[in-house]
Structures are given as structure tokens and as C-alpha cells.
Amino acid sequence: MLKTKEHYCQILMAAQQKENGVCVKTRKWRLKKYPNCFVASEFVAWLCKRYRVDRENCVKCCQTFQENKFISHVAAKQKFQDSSNLYFKFSVSSRLKLRIFLLINAF
């Protein structure tokens, strides 16, 4: 599925698109609201559908995103798992990091 750092960047940028990306919205769990987040299993499903890869490899991809701080658990307590009960968010700076990475590697 993933061959280069550029491919990771392309996936993250596509995932954050409002129209065709992962569904990001305010979610509620145990009477607490978590703004601008997505469901872990929905991100995995989106990756599987868009890139035609099995769920296991998609989970590994998401774990790599978390390890590199492009996504994080809403309460910073959980490692990424293929679960409908876990909410994650894109790092506020992830778009900036991606742009800088692409710019640096363009030369």
C-alpha cells in the first residue's frame, strides 16, 4: 500500500478533504463532546475502499500516522485500533507539516 513518505502525505491530504475525506464532526461519548474528530473504524474503512487494501494494513498505516503525530486520540490515551468506539483527530499542524515536507522534498 505505502511505498514512500510522499504516499503517506497524499493519503493524509485526501483524508482531510471535506467532500471526499473521512467524516470529521463533533461526536459525543459519555456526555462529553469531542469536536472535529473521526471514528477509527470509519478511517480504516475509508482507506480500504479508497486504496483497495485489507484492514490490517490500513490499521498499520493509521498507527504510523499516530506515531508521527499526524493523528491523535481525542483524550491522548489510546493507541489506534480498528474500533467504532475510538475517536481520533487530525493534528492541527498536520496540514502545515505535510506542506513543509512536500516543499522540502520538491528540491
Side-chain angles (χ1 to χ4, degrees):
M1 173 180 178
L2 298 172
K3 298 174 184 165
T4 64
K5 289 181 182 179
E6 289 84 3
H7 198 194
Y8 277 106
C9 291
Q10 290 170 355
I11 291 170
L12 280 168
M13 291 185 79
Q16 293 181 64
Q17 290 178 353
K18 288 185 180 182
E19 293 178 10
N20 298 317
V22 179
C23 180
V24 175
K25 63 182 184 179
T26 298
R27 303 187 188 265
K28 232 166 83 169
W29 189 69
R30 293 190 176 177
L31 303 175
K32 186 168 182 178
K33 290 184 180 182
Y34 297 96
N36 303 318
C37 63
F38 57 89
V39 178
S41 61
E42 290 178 8
F43 192 18
V44 173
W46 179 87
L47 285 167
C48 289
K49 182 178 178 183
R50 183 166 176 125
Y51 296 98
R52 297 183 180 147
V53 179
D54 63 271
R55 293 186 83 83
E56 183 179 336
N57 281 317
C58 290
V59 169
K60 288 178 185 177
C61 175
C62 293
Q63 290 169 340
T64 300
F65 291 150
Q66 186 179 22
E67 289 165 9
N68 288 285
K69 301 187 183 349
F70 286 109
I71 65 171
S72 61
H73 181 257
V74 292
K77 293 181 179 181
Q78 297 286 328
K79 288 190 176 186
F80 193 93
Q81 299 173 45
D82 188 1
S83 171
S84 61
N85 296 322
L86 293 176
Y87 300 148
F88 284 80
K89 58 186 176 180
F90 292 106
S91 164
V92 173
S93 62
S94 66
R95 282 186 180 239
L96 178 60
K97 286 181 189 176
L98 290 170
R99 288 191 178 123
I100 291 170
F101 174 82
L102 292 172
L103 181 64
I104 290 170
N105 288 295
F107 297 101

